[in-house]
Amino acid sequence: MHARPAPNNLPTAVPFGAALRFWLKLGCISFGGPAGQIAIMHRELVEQRRWISERRFLHALNFCMLLPGPEAQQLATYIGWLLHGTRGGIVAGALFVLPSLLLLIVLSAAYLAWGQLPWVAALFHGIKAAVAAIVLHAMWRLGGKTLTTPLAWALAGGSFVALAWWKWPFPAVVLGAGAVGWLAARVAPGQLVPPVAAPSAAAESAAVMGDDTPAPPHARFSRPGLARVLLAGALAWLLSMGGLTAWQGLDATLTQVGWFFSKAALITFGGAYAVLPYVNQAAVQQHQWLTAAQMMDGLALGETTPGPLIMIVAFVGQLAATAEAMRACGVNGCGAWALGWGALGALVATWFTFLPSFVFILAGGPLVESTRGKLGFTAPLAAITAAVVGVIGSLALFFVANLALPSGAGAGWDSKIDWAALALVAAATFALVRLKWGVIRVIALCALAGGAWRWFGVG
């Protein structure tokens, strides 16, 4: 790696086998959403193993925050690529996702088989309250960091109204926010959301990839290298989508799942909670692959498994494909074939969601390495980040409305309101925001509350 020998006998390169074991471990323990996953990588890679310096880690993180898609998975891909080239990036990014994908396929199949049992439904009813609280907490956290100017508040409020009341499509909200940010940068630059603060200049411990370590050969920008990555990514997408279309047809569920998540992967800035409104809008309302209640159940499963929260796409793909199989052969007699078809749907959704992330990192990484110390948030992306707060708020409203109105969110507020569910949402939100409880603890207690309500006949 051409790293300068460290005074504390650090190796000049990280063995690929050691990195492989770490990325597999990370994929199995990466609970807590993007913030928790990034914190784990920082603790392990910067503070304990010292494979990468603080400044280099934050520089990579800043780049990943600018991209659509799951920033924690992209950060793992970037560091894996920086340490070991293309194979390192692919291994790091894939292992970050694989354990979660396999676990979600199993849990989704169990959910389809037993999710309608009364006691299971009761547990999920409690978990749905936790999910609504988790989304509210995400809005609170992001808003506290982002909404620092009147323009930022206006963008958040406008995106909330556009999605929740005017029913604008998610891409229109993102593009509109970006246009506002571009204009504001030229008219009133002081009203833009401040960029992430520069890393501290405090002395750091030595690292294998330190501040002054030259970029390895594979991390040096070249136009032929960029062209090769873009061509490989385009071919991978064209071959997989072309094969799927030729096999199933353009209107088949698997093909539509691939098309939809290809689009979602390119426009979903702001992390997993910003993706969910778009996925919900298309998967629940447009394609009707699953219901709003099932979407909340899928989010609950995603919150309780390791890996990126965006892995809910696997749940959506699995339910969509399973429903197609059930329609094709009837409810009775599908058996293992329907389960297998559902698992294929999960794989298709995952492949088309994460393929662009690998292309972004492998293509953009060398350029980013050549501009270390200069990269910051651009005005349009800063505006999009502010708008994402309103996007998450619209998702929270959708979830709370479906909880509060058992007869459906469109039934109107004169319908019977589930006050017990609203009280549980409020309690769970308080536990997350004020008591700083962990996500798994809140989900478990809400599930127990849902079961207790059924046992004692409450709600």
Side-chain angles (χ1 to χ4, degrees):
M1 300 292 292
H2 309 289
R4 184 178 302 173
N8 54 357
N9 297 321
L10 281 174
T12 57
V14 177
F16 184 74
L20 182 67
R21 289 189 295 273
F22 170 74
W23 297 124
L24 179 58
K25 170 189 172 183
L26 180 66
C28 295
I29 66 169
S30 55
F31 293 92
Q37 293 153 2
I38 292 169
I40 291 173
M41 281 188 277
H42 183 272
R43 184 182 68 244
E44 291 272 351
L45 297 177
V46 176
E47 298 176 357
Q48 297 180 1
R49 300 172 189 263
R50 287 178 288 174
W51 287 355
I52 186 171
S53 69
E54 176 84 15
R55 288 174 178 265
R56 217 150 187 163
F57 181 91
L58 291 177
H59 183 69
L61 177 60
N62 282 344
F63 172 56
C64 296
M65 291 291 289
L66 296 176
L67 298 173
E71 63 268 26
Q73 187 266 349
Q74 290 167 337
L75 179 61
T77 304
Y78 189 105
I79 296 175
W81 162 81
L82 186 61
L83 293 174
H84 296 108
T86 300
R87 66 167 182 163
I90 292 175
V91 165
L95 290 179
F96 194 88
V97 171
L98 188 59
S100 175
L101 172 61
L102 297 177
L103 184 57
L104 267 176
I105 288 175
V106 173
L107 291 177
S108 299
Y111 169 81
L112 287 169
W114 300 304
Q116 300 306 311
L117 294 178
W119 65 272
V120 176
L123 292 176
F124 269 99
H125 187 69
I127 291 174
K128 288 172 188 176
V131 166
I134 289 166
V135 176
L136 287 168
H137 184 222
M139 181 181 67
W140 172 272
R141 276 187 325 198
L142 184 60
K145 297 176 182 177
T146 304
L147 305 184
T148 57
T149 68
L151 178 58
W153 279 97
L155 285 166
S159 65
F160 176 82
V161 172
L163 279 171
W165 269 274
W166 297 343
K167 308 300 181 185
W168 283 16
F170 181 83
V173 174
V174 171
L175 293 175
V180 170
W182 178 85
L183 180 62
R186 285 149 181 79
V187 177
Q191 285 298 308
L192 291 172
V193 180
V196 174
S200 171
E204 304 173 330
S205 300
V208 175
M209 291 297 297
D211 292 342
D212 300 324
T213 305
H218 67 264
R220 295 170 189 166
F221 177 76
S222 70
R223 291 182 179 177
L226 174 62
R228 283 194 299 271
V229 173
L230 294 178
L231 179 61
L235 283 176
W237 187 88
L238 287 171
L239 289 174
S240 52
M241 181 55 70
L244 200 57
T245 303
W247 175 40
Q248 287 291 297
L250 188 59
D251 295 328
T253 297
L254 287 180
T255 309
Q256 289 300 307
V257 165
W259 276 106
F260 168 66
F261 285 113
S262 294
K263 293 184 292 183
L266 296 175
I267 64 173
T268 45
F269 294 89
Y273 289 106
V275 178
L276 292 174
Y278 181 50
V279 174
N280 179 77
Q281 190 178 62
V284 176
Q285 301 171 23
Q286 179 183 345
H287 295 289
Q288 297 181 342
W289 288 331
L290 68 172
T291 66
Q294 288 173 327
M295 177 64 78
M296 294 184 70
D297 292 340
L299 183 56
L301 290 177
E303 290 281 7
T304 54
T305 55
L309 181 57
I310 192 58
M311 285 307 299
I312 190 178
V313 302
F315 179 82
V316 172
Q318 186 160 349
L319 263 65
T322 301
E324 182 183 50
M326 300 291 275
R327 289 193 300 269
C329 68
V331 176
N332 297 320
C334 277
W337 183 77
L339 292 177
W341 199 254
L344 181 59
L347 292 172
V348 168
T350 303
W351 167 257
F352 285 103
T353 297
F354 286 94
L355 176 60
S357 292
F358 287 97
V359 176
F360 291 149
I361 297 302
L362 298 179
L367 182 60
V368 173
E369 280 297 305
S370 70
T371 60
R372 270 195 310 125
K374 303 176 184 178
L375 187 68
F377 284 107
T378 63
L381 287 171
I384 289 172
T385 303
V388 161
V389 178
V391 170
I392 297 173
S394 72
L395 179 69
L397 177 64
F398 179 84
F399 282 172
V400 171
N402 276 277
L403 269 175
L405 301 172
S407 56
W413 289 103
D414 55 342
S415 303
K416 182 180 178 182
I417 297 176
D418 189 343
W419 294 108
L422 289 179
L424 188 56
V425 171
T429 304
F430 180 79
L432 288 167
V433 174
R434 304 300 299 176
L435 302 182
K436 311 296 184 184
W437 286 6
V439 167
I440 301 300
R441 181 182 183 184
V442 170
I443 289 176
L445 291 175
C446 286
L448 291 176
W453 284 345
R454 173 169 179 80
W455 181 267
F456 292 108
V458 180

